[in-house]
């Protein structure tokens, strides 16, 4: 029997408190997590056809209104009736692993820590669990590894030959308040070190003062500095105050050529939430209808559990459709989430929960 990602229903697997390793004799239904296809052009792992952007067109968003209570009600449905169980849940969780940008953005990062993280990125799920899931012939890897610019070199070296791209934050992360020439130089440095994706952070003041020309011009300059590297625009939505601002900032970032729009740096008081994500996806969908271009989406900050992963996958599938369940158009910025997903997958194949400490990141 094969599980696909095309079923949702009510209910969750029963829990057991006894930890156990996967027995080599155990067998479970093989999981099918192969993409079902898309009309989008894929240019490599973790990449999609570039968004060329457009001229700034405020008329596309000036009159937008966002109904906060309706947005919250819609988002609230995702954690309840949009659940999956048994082999379907396992398949969705494997898909979530493939969409993770495995991240370390700590002040005490070292090349050794990045090397260990890269090893986990190559084999995010323990080999005995992978075998029990029937995925040994094509073991999953994460979508990317995300680090600071000075850690890009060690990450590229550690991931050589894996096909896993290195993403780097840049542009004065997390505040984005350094002078523009320095922010552009930081992008060029990360790209020169081998980063294939650049997660830039916008200047929030330009959104709060409605300086759309300034925001557009800066992101456009950042995209040019990226060269061939894909650009993810971090909106730091927790600092933008209203969902209208979130929608407008999303549209301007995409008009300026962002290949992904991303919720948060992970350093704000409020990071990724479902209502904010829903608002960004509606902007992304509208932009696609205006231009015909596909833009990716990345929630980040505060996503820690397998349950979080399932909620955001359900949101992507319902709002944008099956193509946005692949890492070329969807990423999850996370670190501790991976350990919980691995733990849930072990529960699927053994019927028992192990301690979270059995699933270290590195």
């Amino acid at each position: 029997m094969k599980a696909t990602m095309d079923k949702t229903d009510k209910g969750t697997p029963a829990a057991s408190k006894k930890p156990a390793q996967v027995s080599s004799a155990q067998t479970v239904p093989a999981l099918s997590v192969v993409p079902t296809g898309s009309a989008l052009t894929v240019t490599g792992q973790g990449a999609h056809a570039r968004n060329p952007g457009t001229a700034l067109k405020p008329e596309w968003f000036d009159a937008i209104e966002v109904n906060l209570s309706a947005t919250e009600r819609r988002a609230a449905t995702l954690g309840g009736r949009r659940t999956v169980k048994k082999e379907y849940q396992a398949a969705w969780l494997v898909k979530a692993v493939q969409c993770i940008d495995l991240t370390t953005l700590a002040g005490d990062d070292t090349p050794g820590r990045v090397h260990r993280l890269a090893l986990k990125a190559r084999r995010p799920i323990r080999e005995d669990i992978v075998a029990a899931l029937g995925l040994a012939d094509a073991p999953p890897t994460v979508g990317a590894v995300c680090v600071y610019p000075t850690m890009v070199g060690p990450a590229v070296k550690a991931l050589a030959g894996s096909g896993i791209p290195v993403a780097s934050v840049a542009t004065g992360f997390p505040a984005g308040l350094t002078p523009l020439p320095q922010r552009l130089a930081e992008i060029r440095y990360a790209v020169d070190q081998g980063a294939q994706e650049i997660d830039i952070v916008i200047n929030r003041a330009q959104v709060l003062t409605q300086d759309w020309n300034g925001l557009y011009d800066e992101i456009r300059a950042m995209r040019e500095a990226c060269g061939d590297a894909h650009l993810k625009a971090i909106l730091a939505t927790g600092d933008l105050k209203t969902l209208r601002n979130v929608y407008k900032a999303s549209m301007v970032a995409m008009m300026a050529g962002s290949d992904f729009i991303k919720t948060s740096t992970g350093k704000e008081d409020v990071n990724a939430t479902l209502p904010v994500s829903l608002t960004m996806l509606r902007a992304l969908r509208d932009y696609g209808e205006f231009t015909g271009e596909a833009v990716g989406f990345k929630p980040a900050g505060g996503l820690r559990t397998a349950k979080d992963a399932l909620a955001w996958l359900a949101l992507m599938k319902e709002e944008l459709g099956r193509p946005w369940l692949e890492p070329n158009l969807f990423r999850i910025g996370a670190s501790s989430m991976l350990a919980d997903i691995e733990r849930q997958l072990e529960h699927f194949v053994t019927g028992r929960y192990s301690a979270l400490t059995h699933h270290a990141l590195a």
Side-chain angles (χ1 to χ4, degrees):
M1 171 169 44
K2 288 180 178 282
T4 70
M5 297 184 60
D6 295 326
K7 177 178 178 179
T8 58
D9 57 22
K10 298 179 181 179
T12 55
S16 170
K17 296 183 179 179
K18 296 181 180 179
Q21 296 293 314
V22 179
S23 167
S24 58
Q26 285 180 292
T27 60
V28 297
L31 301 177
S32 174
V33 291
V34 179
T36 58
S38 161
L40 300 172
T41 302
V42 178
T43 57
Q45 177 167 346
H48 63 278
R50 301 299 302 275
N51 168 31
T54 69
L56 180 62
K57 298 180 180 181
E59 63 271 18
W60 286 6
F61 58 81
D62 265 347
I64 192 69
E65 298 288 346
V66 181
N67 185 322
L68 176 59
S69 60
T71 302
E72 291 175 338
R73 285 197 303 272
R74 167 74 178 95
T77 67
L78 297 164
R81 60 191 179 91
R82 302 295 195 271
T83 58
V84 287
K85 60 183 180 180
K86 298 182 179 178
E87 67 268 28
Y88 297 97
Q89 183 184 84
W92 279 61
L93 291 177
V94 172
K95 178 56 63 183
V97 169
Q98 294 173 314
C99 294
I100 287 177
D101 278 6
L102 195 58
T103 302
T104 181
L105 296 171
D108 59 351
D109 280 343
T110 64
R113 173 182 288 174
V114 170
H115 178 77
R116 292 191 298 273
L117 194 72
L119 294 179
K120 186 64 176 177
R122 287 173 176 266
R123 289 291 181 267
I125 304 172
R126 225 172 51 218
E127 291 185 1
D128 56 331
I129 299 175
V130 169
L133 293 174
L135 299 175
D137 291 340
T141 61
V142 301
V145 168
C146 185
V147 295
Y148 276 116
T150 54
M151 294 292 112
V152 170
V156 169
K157 181 178 179 181
L159 291 169
S162 68
I164 302 171
V166 174
S168 174
V169 296
T171 66
F173 180 94
L177 292 176
T178 53
L180 181 60
Q182 295 179 17
R183 283 180 278 160
L184 298 179
E186 190 176 28
I187 292 173
R188 296 187 188 103
Y189 172 84
V191 172
D192 288 345
Q193 292 293 301
Q196 296 169 265
E197 302 173 2
I198 302 294
D199 290 30
I200 64 103
V201 59
I202 68 168
N203 181 341
R204 280 75 114 182
Q206 292 169 330
V207 178
L208 297 175
T209 61
Q210 310 290 287
D211 180 12
W212 305 124
N213 286 294
L215 179 62
Y216 176 90
D217 290 344
E218 285 198 355
I219 297 177
R220 198 72 187 172
M222 292 171 187
R223 187 189 190 282
E224 182 177 353
C226 285
D228 292 333
H230 278 54
L231 183 148
K232 305 193 196 93
I234 307 173
L235 304 185
T237 55
D239 292 340
L240 300 188
K241 309 305 181 186
T242 69
L243 293 182
R244 288 183 66 194
N245 282 344
V246 169
Y247 182 96
K248 292 177 179 182
S250 299
M251 290 295 284
V252 173
M254 291 184 284
M255 289 176 187
S258 297
D259 299 298
F260 273 74
I261 51 174
K262 176 178 172 182
T263 61
S264 319
T265 66
K267 310 297 184 181
E268 294 87 56
D269 291 337
V270 177
N271 293 288
T273 68
L274 286 168
V276 159
S277 297
L278 175 59
T279 302
M280 293 175 69
L281 293 186
R282 292 292 174 91
L284 191 155
R285 193 168 69 186
D286 290 345
Y287 179 81
E289 291 177 357
F290 282 130
T291 67
E293 300 294 337
V295 177
F297 176 69
K298 178 179 174 180
L303 278 69
R304 297 184 176 88
T305 67
K307 185 177 180 180
D308 291 332
L310 294 173
W312 261 268
L313 283 168
L315 177 66
M316 298 303 293
K317 189 172 189 292
E318 294 190 3
E319 288 294 319
L320 297 174
R322 184 61 179 84
W324 268 264
L325 293 180
E326 300 301 329
N328 61 309
L329 286 169
F330 179 56
R331 300 290 182 79
I332 303 171
S335 52
S336 58
M337 173 187 281
L338 178 57
D340 190 52
I341 290 176
E342 188 178 33
R343 181 171 177 255
Q344 299 299 327
L345 290 172
E346 182 178 30
H347 173 263
F348 170 68
V349 299
T350 66
R352 301 185 180 94
Y353 279 116
S354 64
L356 189 60
T357 53
H358 287 196
H359 305 280
L361 282 179

